Amino acid sequence: MPFDAANLFPILPEIAILVTASVVLVLDLYLKEQDKDINHTLTLIGLLVAIGLTGAVGGGETRIVFDGNVVRDGLTDLLRGAILVVSLLAFVYSRPWLKDRGLFVGEFYVLGLFAILGMLIMVSANSFLTIYLGLELQALCLYALVAFDRDSKKGAEAAMKYFVLGALGSGMLLYGVSMIYGATGSIEFGPVAQAVAEQGMDNKVLVFGVVFLVIGVGFKFGAVPFHMWVPDIYEGAPTPAVLLLGSAPKIAAFALAIRMLVDGLEAIQPDWQGMLLILAVLSMGLGNLVAIAQTNIKRMLAYSTISHVGFIFLGLLAGSAQGYASAMFYAIVYAVMSTGAFGILLILSRKGFDAENLDDLKGLNDRDSWYAAMMALVMFSMAGVPPTVGFMAKLLVLESVVRIDLVWLALVAVAFSIIGAFYYLRVVKVIYFDKPNPDMPVLTTSGGVRFAMSLNGLSLLVLGLFPAALLSWCQSVFV
């Protein structure tokens, strides 16, 4: 294929992130210890440029470039922007924590940027090969970030578990892709969708391919019974790594599911719907029930993540434009909520002290009433309490399930949501009604961190009161 500069226009945000990561990598070699702030500033500038370019190249007709392997459409524009905004917040929150522990080095920013690049590639992929390359780039960087604190034994153990189970999930996914390629003769989603529509489920190779593909998607989301890596990684990894790991990758995983299952295999939607239904019920059940028993808040948020994945799957299995739009809305909202929750934990942590347990949040209202309000907003939103956006996200997903006459499934989801509300409201109770420990460190944060957290927390309230703009954008993608 001859080189065409016009092909580069739709991927300008990816190029911006790649250039930023490369500049930080090289520049870090020449920076003295006291000049490491330049890495942080460059990273934020690179992300802001990428967000601007996303707006510049977005809109208009769908464009397919690089010989059918990359696509820029409405889905790409929205998810790309969401990943970049969430990642920007994550880097802002992480800086004080890294500085306190002597981990304020260029490698963190380089690995984070390359992980973000992998997510952007997944979002704009138009073939199984491209999406797998993006997935592996993201995964390899996240493995390294989990083990980033070399003095932490828990971090090393978590990274090893993540690497082994992540490799297993990737292997399952790749095995499924190879079978689908064998059954259809193509790795591009368009030709695959055409071949699948003609063959249906008569081709046994295709059947096995779809099963392994759904297992791979389940692994990458952390859905039950492929969830075993999630709690250990959330607990053992450094909190900035968990913040990056637990937010934007969920949006990328949603893109993975949409591109593979909807763009490639929508003709056999009734067949993979049943598998997602089982994963959704198990994830909502186990996630909410086990989270109640947790006293480590990072572990609690890990099981909470598993339950939220169940809700995202409800939208996907609905098999309608409304269902896909509600699942997309939920994935974006969850990433913002997760960023806020782990951001507060980073703000509360100090040198020699990590806020990891429920007791560490005691009396937060007496120590800093504004951060207490932001954490309460995040918890209310995760529990689905109106008027926060979490309520709207749950309502939209439940409506899409009811519309395909799976009322029993919606009732199951509501029951598990009520159970889940207990452990979220317990956090609010600890913040407002318990007395703070006298030996807690004094809270001091920069204006930038406080502004970012205010933006993060208040966005959950504003989006809950005025969800129309984001929702209509999500719906326009699947019209």
Side-chain angles (χ1 to χ4, degrees), residues 82 88 184 232 284 293 303 310:
L88 182 72
T184 62
D232 291 341
M284 289 186 294
Y303 283 106

Side-chain angles (χ1 to χ4, degrees), residues 339-475:
T339 306
F342 285 109
I344 289 286
L345 295 186
L346 283 172
I347 288 166
L348 295 180
S349 300
R350 285 292 170 272
K351 190 172 185 178
F353 167 75
D354 274 330
E356 292 189 342
N357 298 307
L358 276 173
D359 289 351
D360 298 331
L361 293 173
K362 278 185 175 178
L364 177 58
N365 186 50
D366 296 340
R367 298 168 65 205
D368 192 311
S369 57
W370 183 247
Y371 283 141
M374 293 303 101
M375 188 60 164
L377 268 177
V378 171
M379 290 295 115
F380 281 135
S381 189
M382 282 190 166
V385 176
T388 58
V389 70
F391 169 74
M392 185 56 66
K394 281 184 165 63
L395 186 68
L396 292 167
V397 167
L398 293 173
E399 186 191 355
S400 67
V401 172
V402 169
R403 285 205 176 177
I404 59 165
D405 297 326
L406 288 175
V407 179
W408 68 269
L409 186 57
L411 292 173
V412 167
V414 169
F416 283 131
S417 283
I418 294 167
I419 293 169
F422 168 78
Y423 58 85
Y424 293 123
L425 299 180
R426 181 175 61 185
V427 175
V428 177
K429 174 255 177 190
V430 165
I431 289 171
Y432 281 97
F433 299 104
D434 289 10
K435 289 294 170 196
N437 294 329
D439 55 346
M440 279 289 181
V442 179
L443 266 179
T444 53
T445 52
S446 68
V449 172
R450 187 171 283 269
F451 175 75
M453 181 50 70
S454 304
L455 204 66
N456 197 165
L458 292 175
S459 67
L460 299 175
L461 189 59
V462 172
L463 283 171
L465 292 169
F466 309 102
L470 180 58
L471 181 58
S472 60
W473 198 352
C474 290
Q475 288 170 339

Side-chain angles (χ1 to χ4, degrees), residues 36-70:
K36 295 290 184 181
D37 264 327
I38 294 173
N39 288 330
H40 181 76
T41 307
L42 273 175
T43 300
L44 298 190
I45 291 170
L47 286 165
L48 287 169
V49 168
I51 291 169
L53 288 172
T54 299
V57 305
E61 293 295 311
T62 296
R63 284 196 62 187
I64 297 176
V65 293
F66 290 105
D67 208 21
N69 286 296
V70 174

Side-chain angles (χ1 to χ4, degrees), residues 15-169:
I15 292 171
I17 296 295
L18 177 61
V19 169
T20 306
S22 304
V23 169
V24 171
L25 181 63
V26 174
L27 193 63
D28 187 58
L29 296 170
Y30 302 98
L31 289 177
K32 293 188 175 72
E33 196 66 40
Q34 63 269 28
D35 298 329
K36 295 290 184 181
D37 264 327
I38 294 173
N39 288 330
H40 181 76
T41 307
L42 273 175
T43 300
L44 298 190
I45 291 170
L47 286 165
L48 287 169
V49 168
I51 291 169
L53 288 172
T54 299
V57 305
E61 293 295 311
T62 296
R63 284 196 62 187
I64 297 176
V65 293
F66 290 105
D67 208 21
N69 286 296
V70 174
V71 63
R72 194 229 47 80
D73 54 12
L75 183 82
T76 310
D77 297 338
L78 180 51
L79 296 188
R80 211 186 239 167
I83 286 169
L84 290 168
V85 169
V86 166
S87 303
L88 182 72
L89 289 172
F91 280 118
V92 170
Y93 297 149
S94 300
R95 179 175 170 269
W97 192 98
L98 295 167
K99 271 199 152 183
D100 278 349
R101 285 153 184 78
L103 295 172
F104 194 55
V105 289
E107 288 90 331
F108 178 83
Y109 291 94
V110 172
L111 289 168
L113 286 166
F114 275 119
I116 293 162
L117 178 61
M119 295 174 216
L120 298 185
I121 291 169
M122 288 166 68
V123 165
S124 55
N126 195 44
S127 74
F128 285 108
L129 179 61
T130 315
I131 209 164
Y132 187 76
L133 289 172
L135 178 66
E136 284 307 288
L137 177 58
Q138 172 205 295
L140 289 169
C141 295
L142 292 178
Y143 298 153
L145 280 172
V146 171
F148 188 70
D149 185 356
R150 286 175 292 185
D151 298 328
S152 168
K153 289 181 180 176
K154 280 172 73 175
E157 181 189 342
M160 186 55 71
K161 286 179 181 174
Y162 188 25
F163 174 68
V164 171
L165 293 170
L168 181 63

Side-chain angles (χ1 to χ4, degrees), residues 12 21 174 268 441:
L12 282 178
L174 196 58
I268 51 170

